[in-house]
Amino acid sequence: MPHNVSLITTLAAGFALALVLGFIAVRLRLPALVGYLLAGVAIGPGTPGFVADGAIAAQLAEIGVMLLMFGVGLHFSLADLLAVRRVALPGAVAQMAVATALGAGLATWWGWSLGSALLFGLSLSVASTVVLLKALEAKGILDSANGRIAVGWLVVEDLAMVLVLVLLPALAPLMGGKALPGAEGAQLGTTLLTTLAQVGAFVAIMLVLGRRLFPWLLWQVTKTGSRELFTLCTVAAAVSIAYGSSALFGVSFALGAFFAGMVLRESEFSQRAAEQTLPLQDAFAVLFFVSVGMLFDPAVLLEQPLRVLATVAIIMAGKSVAAVVLVLLLRYPVRTALTAAASLAQIGEFSFILAGLGLTLGLLSAEAQSLIVAGALISIALNPLAFTAIEPLERWLGRHPRLANRIAPPEDALAALPVSTEARYLANQVVLVGYGRVGRGIGDALAAHGVPFVVVEANRDHVADLRDQGHVAVWGDATEPEVLVQAHIRDARALVIATPDTLDVRQTVAIARELNPTVQVVVRSHNETEAALLREEGTGTVLVGEQELARAMTRHVLDTLRPATPGRAAAAAG
């Protein structure tokens, strides 16, 4: 095959096989990504027949990671990131430490050196952001409180891995490896300070300069009226910022693209940018999974089956159990703990990068890299099942109240309204579930009209901040009867569900009506199909964002034209 068409060949083979095997996987009621992974295995060097260009596939996959992280940044503000810092920061650090210890202990038992064991454990400790995002989108919980916690958790892991990748060449000689050419005299302290300064400078520039420059640039392009230029500007911003962040500041492509999306979110055209880059995100995300499959050598399953199983057990069981324990210790609900556990039950792109660097530094063997890739492929394929298991586990805990009470977070002052709460918040009030962007707007409008309301929020940090601001709020999951009881739903005038996660709407409404049959219910919905189903079930008043925007714009236009109508009529009569 001529060299100048290897890109086309890789794209054609990757997309075609991914389509066929993805379709077969879906028909077998398996996640489509299982088919994508198998497509990569089929065109990889580990299987006979056609072998695609692995280097090109890896670069295409990197573009997919950048575009996907850029899209997440467009929906994830700095406020969202800071809001989950109290669980994401300690949770991610502690979970990485536990997973590293488990992996290192296993490798030491196999007889590996300490340096190899530590690097192997570290490779198993960090989850794939790409896999997480696809799973959260499939479940429709990317914008939920638990989804934001999971994304924030992995952003912290990504930041930690940036430090590891930069420091590892300087640490390699101390761990029994070799230094990279040109890095033999690198001092650990100097490297650490330089890395922290680079990352800090990048974040500062993006938050100070980027928040002003890039939205302005997007506006200038929008004024041309060219759809092509708008899409080009969006993609160029994502890719160029990601590349520049890596070349100038040593930040990974993924993190650079994520921060690019965050600063472009300040523009009123962020939603349009997200919609127009979505097809590219989906297409290149498929290539990411294909490239992962190409790294896999099926021979490792025959040569080291027990070691592969042990590796997968650490990724899917060890990390998950550690995440559940950590989240519960941080006093978050069981649903949040289970979501975090499912989110972390896989490894991906950073694990491959770290394994490749370890191989170059002489810290990891080819066998170790094969085990890491095998663990990644198997855990990625099984990860959707981990999310599917969340609801059955919750139901099982519901049938075992003693165990549920034992593992539930300890009593928290935020889970109940203070005894000093004014009486006007305890009767004829509005119970507002969710205090994100939509909930905050509703709360501001209610406060402006003097309507008392009680906020029910699953993020305890949000509840603490709300109480500091003088609002009445209770922490907990609105699908739990005791949470709605604490919000005094029995005497409430209305229940407003403003959370983006509509999966639990029915349960919340059912509990509310059981406690207060006369309560008026208003629900937020994402699309007309979902809204129609909720209306058919008698959920209450269901509002769709796009429809309400259209009505508001229509009212504004009619109000604007109405004063001119009499004048026109008089002129016509004259």
Side-chain angles (χ1 to χ4, degrees):
M1 180 62 64
H3 177 71
N4 60 352
V5 295
S6 58
L7 171 61
I8 299 174
T9 306
T10 301
L11 284 172
F15 280 135
L17 268 179
L19 172 62
V20 173
L21 295 179
F23 177 78
I24 294 174
V26 171
R27 293 301 298 266
L28 294 175
R29 304 198 177 195
L30 294 172
L33 64 85
V34 173
Y36 306 155
L37 292 168
L38 291 177
V41 174
I43 62 175
T47 54
F50 170 76
V51 177
D53 191 320
I56 288 180
Q59 292 190 46
L60 293 172
E62 196 71 64
I63 295 174
V65 172
M66 285 189 285
L67 291 174
L68 198 61
M69 291 299 292
F70 176 73
V72 174
L74 285 171
H75 295 93
F76 204 92
S77 68
L78 180 63
D80 293 331
L81 192 58
L82 293 176
V84 299
R85 68 188 184 281
R86 293 172 188 168
V87 60
L89 182 58
V93 172
Q95 175 265 315
M96 289 183 71
V98 171
T100 301
L102 290 173
L106 181 65
T108 302
W109 184 55
W110 290 338
W112 296 7
S113 67
L114 180 60
S116 297
L118 285 174
L119 197 57
F120 178 74
L122 199 56
S123 298
L124 305 185
S125 70
V126 57
S128 167
T129 309
V130 177
V131 176
L132 169 68
L133 295 176
K134 300 302 288 184
L136 293 178
E137 287 177 346
K139 289 292 182 181
I141 58 173
L142 180 58
D143 291 328
S144 67
N146 291 337
R148 288 194 295 269
I149 288 174
V151 172
W153 190 303
L154 262 66
V155 167
V156 174
E157 286 191 351
D158 289 352
L159 286 169
M161 290 306 295
V162 169
L163 286 176
V164 170
L165 291 172
V166 174
L167 294 176
L168 191 58
L171 289 170
L174 302 176
M175 299 169 65
K178 58 186 179 182
L180 290 175
E184 292 85 352
Q187 296 294 319
L188 180 60
T190 303
T191 304
L192 178 60
L193 290 176
T194 302
T195 302
L196 292 175
Q198 286 178 321
V199 174
F202 168 71
V203 173
I205 289 173
M206 293 300 292
L207 295 182
V208 176
L209 179 61
R211 294 176 78 174
R212 294 175 173 83
L213 175 62
F214 297 118
W216 175 84
L217 178 63
L218 200 62
W219 169 243
Q220 298 305 313
V221 173
T222 302
K223 289 195 294 186
T224 66
S226 171
R227 181 185 176 195
E228 292 83 2
L229 280 178
F230 182 87
T231 303
L232 180 61
C233 179
T234 303
V235 175
V239 176
S240 60
I241 292 174
Y243 176 79
S245 65
S246 177
L248 300 177
F249 301 100
V251 178
S252 69
F253 289 139
L255 278 176
F258 175 76
F259 276 99
M262 284 182 61
V263 298
L264 282 178
R265 185 180 182 276
E266 303 299 322
S267 168
E268 61 267 33
F269 300 102
S270 60
Q271 183 64 33
R272 179 182 171 189
E275 291 174 353
Q276 294 193 199
T277 56
L278 186 59
L280 285 174
Q281 293 175 33
D282 290 339
F284 281 99
V286 169
L287 291 178
F288 166 78
F289 293 108
V290 172
S291 70
V292 171
M294 290 179 64
L295 295 173
F296 180 63
D297 183 1
V300 73
L301 299 176
L302 300 176
E303 296 169 358
Q304 301 285 353
L306 295 180
R307 292 192 176 188
V308 170
L309 287 175
T311 301
V312 173
I314 290 177
I315 296 170
M316 300 203 67
K319 289 171 61 178
S320 297
V321 171
V324 168
V325 172
L326 290 167
V327 173
L328 292 178
L329 287 177
L330 291 169
R331 306 163 76 97
Y332 275 78
V334 172
R335 167 62 70 93
T336 302
L338 293 176
T339 302
S343 302
L344 299 168
Q346 39 83 14
I347 59 174
E349 57 273 12
F350 268 115
S351 301
F352 307 141
I353 296 171
L354 189 59
L357 181 59
L359 199 64
T360 303
L361 295 171
L363 288 173
L364 284 180
S365 63
E367 176 196 354
Q369 187 181 40
S370 295
L371 289 174
I372 291 170
V373 173
L377 187 139
I378 295 172
S379 64
I380 289 173
L382 296 178
N383 188 246
L385 301 179
F387 278 92
T388 304
I390 292 177
E391 291 188 12
L393 280 173
E394 282 193 311
R395 289 196 296 268
W396 183 82
L397 285 173
R399 295 194 298 268
H400 297 80
R402 287 187 180 180
L403 178 61
N405 292 333
R406 186 173 298 175
I407 68 172
E411 291 298 324
D412 193 302
L414 299 178
L417 293 182
V419 294
S420 59
T421 303
E422 297 178 37
R424 64 193 182 99
Y425 295 104
L426 307 179
N428 293 319
Q429 84 284 15
V430 174
V431 175
L432 175 58
V433 178
Y435 207 72
R437 290 186 293 272
V438 175
R440 190 177 298 112
I442 296 171
D444 291 343
L446 293 174
H449 288 80
V451 178
F453 64 94
V454 176
V455 176
V456 176
E457 173 60 55
N459 188 322
R460 70 185 307 277
D461 298 331
H462 281 177
V463 174
D465 293 340
L466 282 167
R467 291 193 181 183
D468 290 341
Q469 297 166 15
H471 295 294
V472 179
V474 59
W475 166 62
D477 187 343
T479 61
E480 300 292 336
E482 56 268 22
V483 175
L484 291 180
V485 168
Q486 287 295 332
H488 287 253
I489 192 69
R490 294 182 190 276
D491 301 309
R493 184 189 311 174
L495 169 68
V496 179
I497 302 178
T499 58
D501 182 6
T502 56
L503 295 177
D504 297 324
V505 164
R506 297 172 180 84
Q507 186 174 349
T508 301
V509 173
I511 294 171
R513 286 200 167 135
E514 184 177 348
L515 297 172
N516 182 354
T518 63
V519 68
Q520 300 296 312
V521 178
V522 180
V523 177
R524 167 192 178 185
S525 180
H526 293 286
N527 56 71
E528 182 54 42
T529 302
E530 181 184 67
L533 291 174
L534 292 172
R535 292 189 189 105
E536 287 177 9
E537 296 175 359
T539 301
T541 302
V542 184
L543 303 178
V544 181
E546 289 79 1
Q547 290 182 349
E548 296 309 308
L549 177 62
R551 291 187 184 120
M553 294 177 69
T554 302
R555 284 196 300 269
H556 178 76
V557 171
L558 293 176
D559 289 343
T560 302
L561 296 177
R562 190 170 292 119
T565 303
R568 290 176 184 171

